[in-house]
């Protein structure tokens, strides 16, 4: 049996109307994403990346066309239905982290579960587990101001993970991070990808896109390139850190 795509976008158009002016932000985009894919979306400013991400994220609806997400047609759902699909299927990561200030890492990560009505103890347990998964098990009580940018982004990734999403959507998640921290965050995304989570990420940076298994380029509201690739490991094991060097090994 052929696996169903998790995301199936078919001839999606988005027209923004402001007064008499119409902006054709997407001009008929079609896209299938299968479970476990790691997709990087690239394109110059104004090409339609955010519009596409808002549609994929069920934050907005297309003007026309079809969008099936995890087997359900969402293009014509109302706001409440969209919110339900979002909380069931999707996790979001933003460039600016979007964490609540003066609120602990643990409480930030618990938030999506509060909206779902999960009880206090269970929330606590799941949020702590998500923070352990991103390497912040020792920082549960820290507020965003007490964390570095990379750590804040990892809290945001834990918040995206806590609802056990099928898809994580990330809009320029490394845009506010220095290059070493970007490497750490991309290594984490690759790890999540290997664990079976589908990732769709917008980036301007070619090195970041190299870490994905597929690159889609958007231009003037159209997909102009869509290719699969062998992902470059974000973190390359340095010879000195592996402990045992080849030369020291004894061969019988
Ligand atoms: P990108 O994220 O690639 O920079 P966007 O998806 O934000 O591109 O924008 C695509 C086009 O749609 C641009 O011309 C932009 O000005 C226009 N646009 C985006 N959002 C809106 C909106 N809410 N109202 C009107 N025009 C919009
Ligand atoms: Mg944008």
């Amino acid at each position: 049996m052929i696996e169903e795509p998790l995301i199936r976008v078919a001839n999606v158009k988005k027209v923004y109307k402001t007064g008499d002016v119409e902006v054709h932000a997407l001009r008929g985009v079609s896209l299938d994403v299968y479970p476990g894919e790691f997709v990087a979306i690239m394109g110059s400013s104004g090409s339609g990346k955010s519009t596409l991400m808002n549609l994929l994220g069920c934050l907005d609806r297309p003007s026309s066309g079809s969008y099936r997400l995890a087997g359900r047609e969402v293009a014509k759902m109302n706001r409440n239905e969209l919110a339900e699909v979002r909380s069931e299927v999707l996790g979001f990561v933003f460039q600016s982290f979007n964490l609540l200030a003066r609120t602990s890492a643990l409480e930030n990560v618990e938030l999506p579960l509060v909206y779902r009505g999960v009880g206090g103890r269970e929330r606590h347990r799941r949020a702590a587990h998500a923070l352990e998964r991103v390497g912040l098990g020792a920082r549960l009580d820290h507020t965003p101001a007490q964390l570095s940018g990379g750590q804040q982004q990892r809290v945001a990734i834990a918040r995206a993970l806590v609802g056990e999403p099928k898809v994580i959507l990330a809009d320029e998640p490394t845009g506010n991070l220095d290059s070493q921290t970007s490497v750490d965050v991309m290594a984490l995304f690759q790890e999540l990808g290997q664990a079976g989570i589908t990732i769709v990420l917008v980036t301007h940076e070619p090195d970041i896109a190299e870490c994905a298994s597929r690159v889609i380029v958007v231009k003037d509201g159209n997909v102009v390139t869509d290719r699969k690739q062998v992902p470059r490991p974000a973190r390359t094991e340095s010879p000195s850190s592996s402990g045992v060097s080849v030369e020291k090994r004894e061969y019988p």
Side-chain angles (χ1 to χ4, degrees):
M1 205 178 82
I2 299 166
E3 208 174 9
E4 279 284 304
L6 195 49
I7 288 174
R8 169 157 275 181
V9 170
N11 197 21
V12 156
K13 298 181 183 173
K14 181 70 184 180
V15 184
Y16 293 112
K17 293 195 182 91
T18 29
D20 295 343
V21 184
E22 284 192 348
V23 177
H24 294 260
L26 295 176
R27 297 170 184 269
V29 168
S30 297
L31 191 61
D32 284 351
V33 179
Y34 287 86
E37 281 196 285
F38 186 166
V39 181
I41 297 180
M42 302 192 79
S44 53
S45 179
S47 56
K49 303 181 297 296
S50 293
T51 301
L52 179 58
M53 288 297 269
N54 288 342
L55 295 175
L56 292 178
C58 301
L59 296 162
D60 200 0
R61 287 178 299 192
S63 306
S64 65
S66 154
Y67 174 24
R68 292 181 68 81
L69 174 61
R72 273 176 291 183
E73 176 58 68
V74 297
K76 293 192 176 64
M77 282 187 178
N78 66 35
R79 278 171 179 279
N80 289 338
E81 292 168 324
L82 288 174
E84 203 179 305
V85 173
R86 272 204 304 277
S87 101
E88 249 173 65
V89 183
L90 303 173
F92 294 89
V93 177
F94 306 93
Q95 179 172 358
S96 49
F97 321 138
N98 292 9
L99 299 174
L100 295 181
R102 291 183 292 279
T103 304
S104 71
L106 191 71
E107 287 171 304
N108 266 287
V109 175
E110 281 185 28
L111 211 57
L113 300 178
V114 173
Y115 296 134
R116 281 199 198 181
V118 177
R121 281 173 75 95
E122 178 64 10
R123 235 166 40 214
H124 195 90
R125 192 187 66 76
R126 286 202 223 166
H129 177 73
L131 282 160
E132 278 158 25
R133 200 167 168 191
V134 301
L136 290 175
R139 298 280 192 282
L140 304 186
D141 297 332
H142 287 53
T143 63
Q146 298 168 327
L147 296 168
S148 70
Q151 289 171 333
Q152 290 181 56
Q153 193 57 303
R154 282 192 277 151
V155 173
I157 293 170
R159 182 185 53 192
L161 282 173
V162 78
E164 291 171 12
K166 291 192 166 70
V167 185
I168 288 187
L169 297 170
D171 201 346
E172 300 215 41
T174 60
N176 284 348
L177 302 176
D178 62 51
S179 54
Q180 184 49 50
T181 310
S182 297
V183 165
D184 295 340
V185 165
M186 290 309 292
L188 177 57
F189 277 124
Q190 287 185 327
E191 232 176 271
L192 299 176
Q194 272 148 24
I197 296 176
T198 305
I199 298 162
V200 181
L201 168 155
V202 168
T203 185
H204 277 109
E205 296 158 84
D207 331 359
I208 296 292
E210 282 176 10
C211 297
S213 63
R214 179 174 170 190
V215 178
I216 290 174
V217 181
V218 180
K219 188 180 178 192
D220 297 330
N222 290 301
V223 169
V224 292
T225 308
D226 184 348
R227 60 180 169 78
K228 290 194 165 64
Q229 65 184 15
V230 177
R232 178 179 61 80
R235 202 182 281 137
T236 44
E237 205 71 54
S238 69
S240 58
S241 70
S242 68
V244 183
S245 74
V246 176
E247 290 76 25
K248 283 181 194 156
R249 233 176 252 161
E250 286 180 22
Y251 297 93

